């Protein structure tokens, strides 16, 4: 046990009981390495190790963090172009939305026409 974490424990225990302490700490370190669990230990002067508290076991890490979940309803069955709007609302507002989009498009095109009305300079 050359791990520096255990140096204070060996300094506290009488050297006669070091083999007993080493055996218990080796078993705890092996179990901790297998499970990933952490422990709060209480050690006596005679090398006895008592577990005071144990942490929760960590959840195993998934092999792949991304997991695709298919939607419950296919996209072509959703109303209003895949949004969560009720179908009645989508049918009623569709003309208004399309009119607003075309008005915005016409306004943008008009601004572009005024900006680029002059002919391009001849750079030949």
């Amino acid at each position: 046990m050359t791990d520096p974490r255990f140096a204070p424990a060996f300094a506290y225990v009488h050297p006669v009981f070091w083999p007993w302490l080493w055996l218990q700490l080796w078993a705890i370190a092996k179990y901790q390495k297998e499970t990933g669990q952490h422990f709060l230990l209480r050690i006596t002067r005679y090398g006895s190790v008592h577990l005071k508290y144990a942490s929760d076991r960590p959840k195993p890490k998934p092999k792949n963090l991304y997991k695709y979940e298919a939607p419950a309803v296919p996209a072509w069955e959703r109303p209003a172009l895949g949004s969560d709007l009720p179908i009645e609302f989508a049918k009623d507002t569709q003309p208004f939305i399309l009119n607003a989009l075309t008005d915005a498009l016409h306004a943008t095109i008009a601004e572009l026409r005024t900006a680029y009305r002059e002919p391009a300079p001849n750079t030949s």
Side-chain angles (χ1 to χ4, degrees), residues 8-18 21 42-48:
F10 282 99
Y12 179 70
V13 175
H14 194 276
V16 174
F17 301 107
W18 281 2
L21 176 65
R42 186 175 65 87
I43 300 173
T44 65
R45 297 283 291 173
Y46 303 108
S48 296

Side-chain angles (χ1 to χ4, degrees), residues 26-120:
W26 174 78
I28 290 171
K30 183 180 175 187
Y31 184 76
Q32 183 178 8
K33 193 173 188 179
E34 290 173 359
T35 62
Q37 205 170 5
H38 297 283
F39 303 103
L40 182 64
L41 306 173
R42 186 175 65 87
I43 300 173
T44 65
R45 297 283 291 173
Y46 303 108
S48 296
V49 177
H50 301 281
L51 297 176
K52 291 292 285 182
Y53 300 103
S55 69
D56 295 335
R57 288 188 181 184
K59 294 180 181 178
K61 294 180 181 176
K63 293 181 182 176
N64 187 0
L65 295 178
Y66 174 75
K67 183 179 178 184
Y68 174 73
E69 295 180 8
V73 178
W76 58 85
E77 291 183 7
R78 286 192 202 152
L81 300 175
S83 71
D84 292 331
L85 292 173
I87 195 161
E88 297 82 17
F89 182 73
K91 286 180 182 176
D92 293 343
T93 59
Q94 186 176 8
F96 300 117
I97 293 174
L98 291 177
N99 287 338
L101 288 174
T102 54
D103 291 343
L105 184 63
H106 286 299
T108 306
I109 291 173
E111 290 175 8
L112 288 174
R113 282 184 184 156
T114 58
Y116 294 105
R117 186 166 286 171
E118 299 176 8

